[in-house]
Amino acid sequence: MQGETKYTLPELPYKADALEPFISLEQLTLHHDKHHMAYINGANSNLTALEDGRKQGADVNMKAILKDLSWNFGGHYLHSQFWTNLAPAGSGGGGEPKGEIANRINSEFGSFERFKKEFSQAAATVEGSGWAALTVCPLTKRLQIMQIEKHNTNLFPACPILLVLDLFEHAYYLDYKNDRGAFIAAFWNIVNWDEVNRRFQ
Ligand code: MN
C-alpha cells in the first residue's frame, strides 16, 4: 500500500482454500475479491472526486466525500491487516502467542485465556458491523483492545493494529449464517501470532 497514488487489492498471502475449514474457499474468495475490492474502488473514486474538483476549480461536497473516504479507506486498511494476521491452521495459524507479544499479553491481561475472553467479548458485542482489534498505545506502550464500529468509528488515533477480526456479516455468512459466536471461536484457530508479534516489535 505504500507509495502508491491509488489503492490496489493486495494478494492473499495464502491460497484461498488454505483457511478451511474455518473460512471456506467461497467465503474467503467473495470477501477478498468482492467486498475488499469494493472499498478500494470506493476510496479511489473519492480521491478522483477531490482531484476533479481541484482541476476544475469547482466546489465539491467536502463533508460527504471525506466521510465516504474515511469509511472506504478504513475498510481497505483493516482488510489488508486482517488477511495478513491470519494463517492456515497448523502451519502458522492458531495456538498461543510466542515471543514478546506473549509476555505483554500476560502482563497486561493476566493470561492468554483472559485476553481471548476479552477480545471475544469485544468481537461478539460490536453493534451492527465492525471489528475487534488489539492495538498498542504509543504513549504508554500498553496493549489495548479496540471495538471498531463500521470501519472508522471508535478508533483510537495513532494506535497501530496488531490483530484484527472482521465482524461484518459478509465475513462469515456463508460459513456460519447468523452465528457470529461460532466464527469468533473459529478465528482463534487461524491467528498468525508470528505476524502479530512482528507488528508489535
Ligand atoms: Mn470484511
Side-chain angles (χ1 to χ4, degrees), residues 12-81:
L12 290 171
Y14 32 72
K15 289 192 172 152
D17 64 357
L19 302 181
E20 291 190 337
F22 304 106
I23 300 177
S24 69
L25 167 68
E26 189 184 12
Q27 180 77 75
L28 189 58
T29 304
L30 271 174
H31 194 178
H32 176 264
D33 296 1
K34 303 295 181 190
H35 291 286
H36 185 171
M37 191 69 213
Y39 300 120
I40 292 165
N41 291 336
N44 286 334
S45 111
N46 297 143
L47 292 180
T48 300
L50 292 171
E51 290 157 7
D52 286 351
R54 285 169 204 156
K55 272 183 223 152
Q56 294 156 12
D59 284 342
V60 296
N61 187 337
M62 197 56 82
K63 181 176 179 182
I65 293 172
L66 295 183
K67 185 170 180 165
D68 208 37
L69 180 58
S70 167
W71 156 263
N72 284 316
F73 176 78
H76 173 40
Y77 186 77
L78 289 169
H79 281 98
S80 300
Q81 299 296 303

Side-chain angles (χ1 to χ4, degrees), residues 31 35 39 79 131 151 166 168 170-171:
H31 194 178
H35 291 286
Y39 300 120
H79 281 98
W131 303 75
H151 298 309
D166 190 341
F168 279 60
H170 71 220

Side-chain angles (χ1 to χ4, degrees), residues 89-102:
S91 70
E96 298 207 357
K98 291 180 283 291
E100 191 49 30
I101 191 65

